[in-house]
Amino acid sequence: AGERPMSVFNASAANDIWGWTDVSTGREFALLCLKEGTAFVEITNTTNPVFLGTLPTQTVDSFWRDVKVHNDHAFIVSEAKNHGMQVFDLKQLLTVDSSDGPVTFENTAFYDKDVKNAHNIVINEDTGFAYIVGGKNSCDGGLHMVDISNPIEPIKAGCYGADNYTHDAQCVIYDGPDSRYLGQEICFAANADTITIVDVTNKTNPIQLSRTGYKDEGYTHQGWLSPDKKYFVFGDETDEKKYGHNTKILVMDVQDLQNATLAGYYLGPSKAIDHNLYIIDDLVYLASYRAGMRILRIKDYATADFEEIGFFDVYPDDDDPSYNGVWSVYPYFPSGTIIASGIESGLFVLSTQETTTTINTTGTDVPLSRRTQLRRR
C-alpha cells in the first residue's frame, strides 16, 4: 500500500515527479516521469494508488524528463532529441475507467518553437508563463519564455541566455524585502556554477540583477525561496563527490536582489548527494538520492541552522554519493500527502506522523523530543 513499483508502469526508470489536484472534486494525482514517458496515478485513496495510463515520450526514451502543471494541464519536456514540450489536459483523468486497464494517452497540444529539447520546465502559475530551461532551447540553455495562459496554444514570449545554461529555477511575483522590485516577476536560477537572479517582467527585455558564485562549487542544481523571499535554499549536485563532505545544503541571502551573498550551509548526516528540494513554511522536503527523502526543520535561515526531523529511505543498502534512490518529491497536496519518485523503485505515497519515542537513526539510540516519521500511506 502506498507505492507502485516500476513493473506496474512497464518502464525501466523513473525521474521527476509533480502533482495535480482537481479543485472541483478534491481528487489527487501523481505525475511520474519515466524514461519512456509520463505516468498518471490517482492517489486520492492513498493506500490504493491507481495507475490510469501513460503519455509516451514525444520521440525517443530519455533519463531526463520534467513536468509542471498550470490551469489543469501538464507541461512536459525532456532531453530526448526533438522532444519539444508536450501539453496534456489533466481533466481527462477524471473519466478514465481503470477497470479497462491503463490508457495510452495522446498530446492535447504540442510546442516546439525554437525548442529541440530541454532539461527542465519552470512555471509561474501566478502569471501563466513557463520557462523552458537547459538543452537546445534557442536561448543558450537559459530562460526560454512561453505564454501558457491558453494552455493549448503556447506562444513564445521571450528569451534570456546572457548567463547561458540554466539547470532549474523558481520564478515568482516578487513580494520580498527589496522594495525596488515589488510586483515584478523575478526568476532565481540555478546556473551550473552560480545563483543568477533575473527580472523577467518585460519578456522582450529581461534584466540580470545579480550573478553569485560560492566557494567549493560543483554543479549548482536547484533551489527554493523561503516564504518571506529573504533566502534561497539550494543544492549542488556534485560537491559531495568532488570534495568528499556530507550532504550539503546552501543558503543564499537574497534580501538585496542586486547583491546576493552566501549566508551559510547545512551538512547532513550522510554523504548522499542532494537533488531537488521544496519548502513549505519552516520545512524543507529534500530528495537526497540514496539517502531517500529527508525532512529538515529550518531553525534559522541566516546561519543555515537546519535540523533533520524525518526521512524515508527507498535505497536501504547504503547512503553513498551515487545516483540511485529518490530523484524528487512533491509535498504540495492540500491533503498533506507527499509523493516521491524512486529511480529504480517507482512511486511512493507518504504521510507524516509526529512521534516522541526514541528512534534508532545511525546505530545509536537518540531520544528526540519531536521527530517526524514517514510512512507509506
Side-chain angles (χ1 to χ4, degrees):
E3 66 181 285
R4 287 295 177 262
M6 291 303 303
S7 58
V8 169
F9 306 114
N10 193 28
S12 58
N15 42 80
D16 197 51
I17 196 166
W18 206 250
W20 174 62
T21 301
D22 177 51
V23 295
S24 62
T25 63
R27 293 168 64 183
E28 295 180 338
F29 300 83
L31 285 55
L32 179 66
C33 291
L34 306 167
K35 182 180 177 182
E36 296 83 1
T38 305
F40 302 94
V41 183
E42 179 162 7
I43 61 164
T44 308
N45 179 350
T46 55
T47 62
N48 185 33
V50 180
F51 174 38
L52 300 176
T54 303
L55 178 66
T57 182
Q58 183 69 23
T59 54
V60 296
D61 295 350
S62 173
F63 282 108
W64 293 275
R65 194 174 308 278
D66 196 80
V67 60
K68 297 296 187 300
V69 170
H70 175 63
N71 195 16
D72 299 324
H73 287 72
F75 298 82
I76 304 162
V77 300
S78 174
E79 291 198 16
K81 184 178 180 180
N82 297 325
H83 186 279
M85 179 177 73
Q86 298 172 294
V87 182
F88 178 76
D89 184 352
L90 292 163
K91 289 285 188 178
Q92 297 178 69
L93 303 179
L94 301 177
T95 57
V96 172
D97 184 352
S98 60
S99 65
D100 293 335
V103 177
T104 299
F105 295 108
E106 296 181 353
N107 294 340
T108 303
F110 180 70
Y111 173 89
D112 63 351
K113 175 68 173 177
D114 299 327
V115 174
K116 292 184 178 180
N117 61 17
H119 180 76
N120 215 325
I121 182 168
V122 179
I123 291 180
N124 184 350
E125 293 189 68
D126 292 329
T127 62
F129 281 93
Y131 300 85
I132 300 173
V133 300
K136 297 179 180 179
N137 69 353
S138 77
C139 303
D140 291 325
L143 299 166
H144 179 109
M145 310 175 200
V146 186
D147 182 345
I148 56 170
S149 54
N150 181 352
I152 63 173
E153 294 184 1
I155 301 171
K156 183 179 179 181
C159 190
Y160 180 78
D163 195 32
N164 300 315
Y165 184 93
T166 293
H167 196 76
D168 206 338
Q170 183 183 10
C171 301
V172 300
I173 295 296
Y174 184 73
D175 60 352
D178 194 335
S179 60
R180 295 169 294 181
Y181 299 100
L182 289 174
Q184 302 295 95
E185 187 168 11
I186 308 294
C187 289
F188 297 77
N191 277 21
D193 59 358
T194 64
I195 298 299
T196 300
I197 303 175
V198 185
D199 185 340
V200 295
T201 307
N202 183 346
K203 303 297 183 289
T204 62
N205 186 33
I207 300 170
Q208 180 176 297
L209 303 181
S210 61
R211 179 182 186 275
T212 308
Y214 52 95
K215 184 181 178 181
D216 295 338
E217 57 86 11
Y219 194 91
T220 317
H221 181 261
Q222 181 266 355
W224 211 251
L225 286 162
S226 61
D228 60 8
K229 311 295 192 300
K230 291 182 178 180
Y231 298 93
F232 187 72
V233 182
F234 67 100
D236 184 307
E237 193 176 12
T238 66
D239 56 353
E240 288 84 8
K241 290 179 73 72
K242 186 174 181 180
Y243 299 105
H245 53 63
N246 282 12
T247 307
K248 188 176 184 179
I249 303 301
L250 302 101
V251 180
M252 193 74 74
D253 184 330
V254 294
Q255 297 182 70
D256 181 345
L257 296 182
Q258 294 184 14
N259 185 31
T261 58
L262 187 69
Y265 59 85
Y266 159 85
L267 292 177
S270 79
K271 293 188 179 298
I273 299 167
D274 54 272
H275 204 218
N276 294 341
L277 65 85
Y278 299 99
I279 295 175
I280 299 178
D281 298 328
D282 65 342
L283 298 180
V284 177
Y285 296 84
L286 168 67
S288 190
Y289 281 118
R290 288 193 177 193
M293 187 183 85
R294 323 297 289 195
I295 299 181
L296 311 177
R297 189 179 303 282
I298 304 158
K299 300 169 73 174
D300 186 1
Y301 281 106
T303 59
D305 186 4
F306 297 172
E307 174 192 14
E308 183 173 289
I309 62 169
F311 68 91
F312 184 83
D313 195 351
V314 309
Y315 196 93
D317 291 356
D318 61 62
D319 293 338
D320 291 347
S322 297
Y323 301 103
N324 311 92
V326 173
W327 181 288
S328 196
V329 300
Y330 178 83
Y332 295 110
F333 287 113
S335 65
T337 295
I338 304 163
I339 52 177
S341 55
I343 297 171
E344 303 87 1
S345 46
L347 170 68
F348 294 88
V349 183
L350 308 170
S351 65
T352 60
Q353 180 177 357
E354 299 287 358
T355 179
T356 57
T357 59
T358 298
I359 300 175
N360 187 302
T361 56
T362 58
T364 303
D365 286 331
V366 182
L368 298 173
S369 59
R370 190 179 186 204
R371 187 172 179 87
T372 300
Q373 288 182 313
L374 289 170
R375 303 173 180 269
R376 294 182 179 89
R377 294 196 90 161

